[in-house]
Amino acid sequence: MQIAIIGTGYVGLVTGTCLADSGNDVTCVDIDQAKIERLEQGEIPIYEPGLSELVLRNAAAGRLKFTTNTADAVRSARLVYIAVGTPTSDGGSHGKGVHPGELSENKGAADLRYVWSAVEGFAPHLPEDAVVVIKSTVPPGTNTKVFEMLQKLTGRTVDVASNPEFLKEGAAINDFQYPDRVVIGVRTKDAEEVLSELYGPFLRTDKPLLVMTPESAELTKYVANALLSTKISFINEMANLCERIGGDINDVRRGIGHDRRIGFAFLFPGVGYGGSCFPKDVRALAHLARQLGMDPLLLDSVDEVNNRQKHVLSHKIEKHFGGHLAGKQFAIWGLAFKPKTDDVREAPALTLINFLLERGAKCAVHDPEAMDNVQAQYRERLTYLHSPMDALEGADALAINTEWSEFRNPDFDEMKRRMRSPVIFDGRNLYDLAQIREHGFTYYSIGRDQIPQQSNSAGRTHAIVSSQSLGLGAKPASRPKTFH
Ligand SMILES: NC(=O)c1ccc[n+]([C@@H]2O[C@H](COP(=O)([O-])OP(=O)(O)OC[C@H]3O[C@@H](n4cnc5c(N)ncnc54)[C@H](O)[C@@H]3O)[C@@H](O)[C@H]2O)c1
């Protein structure tokens, strides 16, 4: 089948590559010429495990092409996918003549300008039998708007289907090739049949193709992301409560996770969710609910809890150093919003870095994949180190934001040798408390006991918050723990 993918980002490139790999003839289009040039030379512009090999293999087989020329890609396509970005609107009018009063009303909405301009770009070249497939995450009602827009632009009825994407960055290839389900929102039998045929090879293991209306398909994507975000904000709030009462969120997590009605997934406490999907999709869904006259209390709270959680390490750091951060040196491990990606959109690490820089601290940062993206934004304001150990040299403290597996078993003795003071702010609960205690670190994590510092070289002891200091019941100092 001939397929054109409009937008060659994380989703467009993975979709195009996986569809080529299952035998289709795919052309990926992007307006970013530099990106297309890199792809044509076999260079992959994003980090996604397994993607590079798959792109190279399918490009070499002639099944996967890249272009900036929309007309060429679309002219003989049976399916035209829209996979452009739909970021959060800043409330601006983008030159479209919006009344100033509407600016704040639009805040949080999905910004669909890339969708509209993609449609305007390919409409004149659409073949008669093409089905347009909206893969981008778009608010319910967008399919109908695209349908009406294409009717006006082409003077005929164009079939428009919705096919939201549920892949996770870091596991995108596997998620696309072995989906839990494929959701399609269709108006016609033809669209249903062509998409069933296309996704057949990916649904061999009894996973369902769920056929519904475009509106339900569009909403399904938002509801999935909103529920996952809710779980994260919920466990983060419970973790903060644990700290106050001297509980351990890992024990609590296991205590609830074994209940089959609850389970373990997405109940890891941390520094809040980031990335290009959860934050914007929760806000867009809340905005949609508000537009429809509802008061989305839960969605607003999920967003608010997350915004606060992104400051959780900043508050612990500020408290530990008594507010004196100017001139302090911080090692930052982990910049990407999660492991196995180079994506730093809305990453909690950037919230922390901004906080530290604003207070005159210095940051030496390390991430296995995301350094280029951070360097493009921060330039010489940060020091970039290719080894996590090098980032620790002379550090007053280490802050961990991303649970990359290479951070899980560090040489603690070497760390202590490199650091000016052995203090760790762990936003991902990577380490066993007993082990950390044994190595003599001051250790702050999320929803667990905070391990006090022994007297430092100046003979001072820093303030600590622990269950003991709150008088809420002492715990054995080195109770053995197992963490999932
Ligand atoms: N990233 C994810 O994990 C993920 C997962 C599921 C769904 N989604 C959704 O998929 C959509 C795309 O997300 P992404 O992360 O791939 O975005 P992205 O920013 O990585 O990629 C979008 C690409 O579209 C290109 N583009 C914009 N306008 C264009 C046009 N008119 N013609 C051709 N190319 C154009 C941009 O240059 C960019 O390369 C969003 O709606 C997002 O919410 C993303």
Side-chain angles (χ1 to χ4, degrees):
M1 207 177 302
Q2 297 242 30
I3 299 172
I5 310 270
I6 313 296
T8 310
Y10 286 86
V11 166
L13 184 55
V14 169
T15 301
T17 306
C18 292
L19 292 178
D21 201 51
S22 67
N24 297 290
D25 188 355
V26 180
T27 305
C28 292
V29 185
D30 208 285
I31 45 172
D32 183 339
Q33 190 154 357
K35 192 180 259 190
I36 292 298
E37 276 168 15
R38 286 178 69 184
L39 282 161
E40 280 177 326
Q41 286 157 19
E43 237 187 272
I44 313 302
I46 55 169
Y47 173 74
E48 182 61 45
L51 182 59
S52 178
E53 299 86 306
L54 217 54
V55 169
L56 295 178
R57 174 146 52 86
N58 285 285
R63 287 189 297 265
L64 182 61
K65 299 182 198 74
F66 302 100
T67 183
T68 52
N69 189 326
T70 307
D72 280 355
V74 166
R75 202 168 286 126
S76 50
R78 174 76 166 105
L79 295 173
V80 177
Y81 274 77
I82 300 175
V84 298
T86 50
T88 295
S89 165
D90 56 8
S93 65
H94 311 301
K96 297 244 159 128
V98 172
H99 188 275
E102 290 177 26
L103 297 186
S104 56
E105 269 174 44
N106 275 341
K107 215 156 188 253
D111 180 349
L112 297 178
R113 70 185 132 143
Y114 300 109
V115 174
W116 309 142
S117 94
V119 172
E120 278 166 7
F122 68 67
H125 315 290
L126 267 184
E128 288 278 335
D129 69 339
V131 177
V132 172
V133 183
I134 305 177
K135 176 67 79 188
S136 299
T137 303
V138 292
T142 306
N143 182 302
T144 301
K145 285 184 188 156
V146 170
F147 178 80
E148 289 167 355
M149 195 173 167
L150 283 168
Q151 207 152 25
K152 266 195 207 131
L153 292 169
T154 63
R156 58 191 159 85
T157 298
V158 176
D159 207 345
V160 184
S162 292
N163 171 219
E165 182 50 58
F166 299 96
L167 64 76
K168 301 181 290 295
E169 285 177 23
I173 302 286
N174 192 67
D175 287 350
F176 195 95
Q177 292 182 330
Y178 305 96
D180 291 336
R181 79 303 204 185
V182 171
V183 169
I184 57 170
V186 290
R187 292 194 166 76
T188 65
K189 209 67 200 152
D190 179 47
E192 182 179 337
E193 279 168 10
V194 71
L195 288 171
S196 303
E197 184 190 332
L198 182 76
Y199 287 116
F202 301 99
L203 295 169
R204 285 216 184 100
T205 45
D206 289 338
K207 300 292 182 184
L209 176 81
L210 303 172
V211 183
M212 52 186 83
T213 64
E215 289 74 17
S216 297
E218 290 169 323
L219 188 58
T220 298
K221 173 64 191 173
Y222 280 102
V223 172
N225 277 359
L227 181 57
L228 295 171
S229 307
T230 302
K231 290 179 90 173
I232 297 173
S233 278
F234 175 79
I235 201 70
N236 281 336
E237 191 160 288
M238 296 306 109
N240 296 339
L241 188 57
C242 263
E243 279 180 33
R244 302 282 171 106
I245 62 173
D248 185 323
I249 192 64
N250 268 322
D251 290 340
V252 174
R253 204 178 66 78
R254 282 181 297 159
I256 61 169
H258 284 287
D259 185 328
R260 272 176 296 167
R261 295 169 303 175
I262 297 174
F264 288 99
F266 274 79
L267 288 172
F268 289 94
V271 285
Y273 57 77
S276 67
C277 293
F278 287 2
K280 81 171 171 66
D281 292 348
V282 169
R283 281 178 224 135
L285 189 56
H287 179 268
L288 178 75
R290 236 183 302 281
Q291 264 188 329
L292 297 171
M294 283 174 60
D295 187 8
L297 284 178
L298 182 60
L299 295 171
D300 284 345
S301 299
V302 168
D303 187 38
E304 180 58 23
V305 167
N306 192 59
N307 291 336
R308 286 191 203 170
Q309 196 67 13
K310 284 167 91 172
H311 292 277
V312 73
L313 287 191
S314 309
H315 292 320
K316 287 175 194 284
I317 289 172
E318 191 164 45
K319 195 163 185 178
H320 173 88
F321 288 103
H324 304 299
L325 296 176
K328 290 274 186 296
Q329 171 79 30
F330 287 87
I332 310 284
W333 284 3
L335 303 169
F337 82 95
K338 66 174 186 176
K340 297 190 189 169
T341 182
D342 60 353
D343 198 341
V344 296
R345 290 178 279 188
E346 303 219 25
L350 305 190
T351 305
L352 174 63
I353 287 171
N354 292 340
F355 173 88
L356 293 172
L357 292 180
E358 277 161 21
R359 280 152 190 81
K362 287 176 270 178
C363 299
V365 304
H366 170 78
D367 187 283
E369 296 294 339
M371 297 242 279
D372 288 350
N373 286 339
V374 169
Q375 196 158 7
Q377 284 181 47
Y378 288 82
R379 311 247 167 227
E380 70 290 342
R381 296 167 70 206
L382 305 173
T383 310
Y384 306 89
L385 278 314
H386 287 284
S387 128
M389 279 297 167
D390 289 349
L392 294 173
E393 210 63 60
D396 293 291
L398 161 68
I400 302 173
N401 297 283
T402 318
E403 65 277 31
W404 282 96
S405 52
E406 40 269 81
F407 302 155
R408 285 184 188 274
N409 284 304
D411 179 341
F412 288 109
D413 294 330
E414 175 69 5
M415 286 171 72
K416 267 182 98 173
R417 270 195 294 278
R418 302 264 195 141
M419 296 175 76
R420 187 178 303 146
S421 54
V423 184
I424 300 175
F425 297 90
D426 179 358
R428 298 294 179 177
N429 289 358
L430 291 188
Y431 307 126
D432 185 288
L433 294 177
Q435 185 188 24
I436 280 284
R437 203 176 266 121
E438 215 169 89
H439 283 92
F441 279 89
T442 295
Y443 183 65
Y444 298 87
S445 53
I446 310 292
R448 306 190 292 173
D449 262 1
Q450 317 296 309
I451 297 177
Q453 185 180 26
Q454 320 302 326
S455 287
N456 66 14
S457 52
R460 284 194 313 256
T461 322
H462 290 292
I464 54 153
V465 181
S466 71
S467 55
Q468 286 89 339
S469 71
L470 287 166
L472 288 167
K475 281 187 177 177
S478 56
R479 186 159 61 98
K481 286 172 190 285
T482 40
F483 298 102
H484 282 286

